[in-house]
Amino acid sequence: MDLPALRLGPRARLWRSLAGTAVVGALFYTSAYGSNDDFPLGPMTQFAFSVKNDGGVIGSYWLEADTAAGTHVKLSFDAVGTGMKRAEIEGQMPRIVRDPSLLQGIADAQRRLHPGQPRFTRIYVVREIRKLEHGKVVSTSRQNRVVWDVR
């Protein structure tokens, strides 16, 4: 049994055209002037960058911590390990630099997610910078970008 095709009326076609134009316009605007907070209509810049072959640098961040047991550990970037992913840390870096107390939430999450493990006493946001020449890494440096003493 074939049903007859229904056609949209002029008002429905206009509404759909305006909605589609608004979405495409928002995508273009946020791609040019937006930030990661505008995702999914904004750019995910942590995945969209290019590096010059000569003189370019690649920067990456990760978290390390001192524990109450006297060990120094590198933290995993997943919801089970720290409660945050790498993109979240990198995306929030300007806020963390301005207010390192935001790292307290990671220590609190670690206590909640892993009550049997030694608690964190200090958290470090470590930045590694790799310099390129002719497309090859010629130097690597590390620095503690932020240090937070856990409460």
Side-chain angles (χ1 to χ4, degrees):
M1 176 167 133
D2 290 331
L3 297 176
L6 298 176
R7 297 211 178 270
L8 292 175
R11 291 176 66 168
R13 283 195 308 264
L14 176 65
W15 182 87
R16 287 184 180 192
S17 296
L18 291 174
T21 301
V23 169
V24 170
L27 179 61
F28 280 123
Y29 178 80
T30 57
S31 292
Y33 304 106
S35 68
N36 287 337
D37 293 336
D38 299 321
F39 185 78
L41 290 178
M44 291 294 286
T45 55
Q46 67 265 25
F47 300 114
F49 67 90
S50 64
V51 178
K52 294 187 289 183
N53 280 338
D54 285 329
V57 294
I58 300 171
S60 62
Y61 293 94
W62 66 85
L63 298 175
E64 296 179 357
D66 293 334
T67 69
T71 58
H72 186 83
V73 295
K74 184 174 180 179
L75 306 183
S76 66
F77 277 118
D78 59 23
V80 176
T82 60
M84 293 187 76
K85 296 193 177 201
R86 177 183 304 275
E88 292 176 280
I89 293 293
E90 290 181 353
Q92 296 297 322
M93 191 53 57
R95 288 184 61 215
I96 292 170
V97 168
R98 281 193 309 273
D99 183 10
S101 69
L102 294 171
L103 294 173
Q104 183 66 41
I106 293 172
D108 296 342
Q110 185 265 350
R111 279 190 221 140
R112 187 177 65 253
L113 294 170
H114 308 286
Q117 293 180 359
R119 68 178 189 84
F120 296 153
T121 58
R122 179 176 284 171
I123 297 177
Y124 305 85
V125 177
V126 181
R127 182 173 188 214
E128 182 177 76
I129 300 169
R130 296 178 182 182
K131 187 173 180 182
L132 301 178
E133 285 184 17
H134 305 294
K136 306 256 189 238
V137 176
V138 294
S139 68
T140 302
S141 64
R142 289 179 50 177
Q143 68 182 48
N144 290 333
R145 184 79 166 103
V146 178
V147 179
W148 173 250
D149 290 322
V150 176
R151 297 181 189 146

